[in-house]
Amino acid sequence: IRVREHQPVALINLDCLYYVSAHGVIFKVPDRGESFDFPLLSGMNRSFLFEQPQQAQEMILQGLELVRELQNRTGFTIQDVSEIHLDANRGLSIYTLEGGIPIQLGKGRFAEKLDRFEEIYDRLKSRLPVVRAIDLNVADRVIVKHESNSVHRS
């Protein structure tokens, strides 16, 4: 008999919160008194998880890849993120802790996309209250959508 103990590295919201291991295994609902201080994966529901298990697993693993990337950064880090949203069609988005601004990342090449974002992040911080959304899913660009519906491309 082999017993494998899972260690949580994230939480996933599936109508209630569950721990997720580094291998993408969803393994338990946190008990009262256990830590909730983990990155949050959102956007997936239970029916998708059971009806499309392979695609759901791939999305969870991409979310965990993004968590690891953000944990290893010094500019824009996991501490700046409220949640990582998983979407089967659009890929991944992150929501900033400050202001809940969606940052569209799509699928893959997260380090490259975050590098581009970090190039303008310091200049953008003061304007975050008027930023509506940021799109990093366009090659060699950072698209910033402001409240006034104007778009700034960097």
Side-chain angles (χ1 to χ4, degrees), residues 68-84:
R68 284 188 296 278
E69 179 63 38
L70 288 163
Q71 287 172 329
N72 292 322
R73 292 191 160 264
T74 57
F76 184 81
T77 72
I78 195 70
Q79 301 303 319
D80 297 305
V81 174
S82 168
E83 68 184 81
I84 297 172

Side-chain angles (χ1 to χ4, degrees), residues 62-139:
Q62 278 204 359
L64 295 175
E65 176 187 339
L66 181 55
V67 166
R68 284 188 296 278
E69 179 63 38
L70 288 163
Q71 287 172 329
N72 292 322
R73 292 191 160 264
T74 57
F76 184 81
T77 72
I78 195 70
Q79 301 303 319
D80 297 305
V81 174
S82 168
E83 68 184 81
I84 297 172
H85 188 83
L86 312 174
D87 183 290
N89 298 317
R90 299 185 71 204
L92 276 55
S93 299
I94 53 181
Y95 286 81
T96 61
L97 189 59
E98 186 177 325
I101 299 163
I103 302 175
Q104 180 66 37
L105 287 156
K107 299 176 182 177
R109 300 185 353 259
F110 301 128
E112 173 190 322
K113 294 171 184 179
L114 289 168
D115 286 346
R116 277 189 312 214
F117 179 63
E118 284 184 344
E119 288 178 19
I120 69 159
Y121 184 57
D122 283 336
R123 294 181 308 223
L124 189 62
K125 278 183 187 177
S126 64
R127 295 186 291 171
L128 284 179
V130 295
V131 172
R132 193 179 70 202
I134 299 168
D135 190 346
L136 303 176
N137 205 24
V138 178

Side-chain angles (χ1 to χ4, degrees), residues 5-25:
E5 185 174 324
H6 297 289
Q7 297 296 319
V9 297
L11 291 163
I12 189 165
N13 187 354
L14 297 169
D15 301 327
C16 67
L17 297 177
Y18 290 85
Y19 283 139
V20 181
S21 76
H23 301 289
V25 176

